Amino acid sequence: MARAKTAKFEEFILEVEVDPTGDAGTYVPLCGLTDVSINRSSNIDTTEVPDCDDESLPYAI
């Protein structure tokens, strides 16, 4: 199993893309962060579908 790469808070640099001139791909680091909280969520919808031939089987997702 692959393991995620981690970094210490003092090594964490958050860069945001700025596009004032229409030049995409220009990133600038944010300075002055004192605390960071990262929330991730999935935007995948799932639907459970029963097996009509054998209703004793678990639903397929």
Side-chain angles (χ1 to χ4, degrees), residues 14-31:
L14 178 63
E15 293 184 341
V16 294
E17 184 176 20
V18 293
D19 191 10
T21 62
D23 186 23
T26 303
Y27 292 88
V28 176
L30 292 179
C31 180

Side-chain angles (χ1 to χ4, degrees), residues 6-58:
T6 60
K8 296 179 181 177
F9 178 74
E10 59 268 14
E11 297 171 345
F12 184 73
I13 299 172
L14 178 63
E15 293 184 341
V16 294
E17 184 176 20
V18 293
D19 191 10
T21 62
D23 186 23
T26 303
Y27 292 88
V28 176
L30 292 179
C31 180
L33 294 177
T34 58
D35 189 19
V36 173
S37 178
I38 299 174
N39 296 321
R40 299 176 73 181
S41 63
S42 171
N43 30 334
I44 298 174
D45 293 330
T46 60
T47 304
E48 295 183 354
V49 180
D51 187 335
C52 294
D53 293 332
D54 186 357
E55 293 182 8
S56 67
L57 293 175

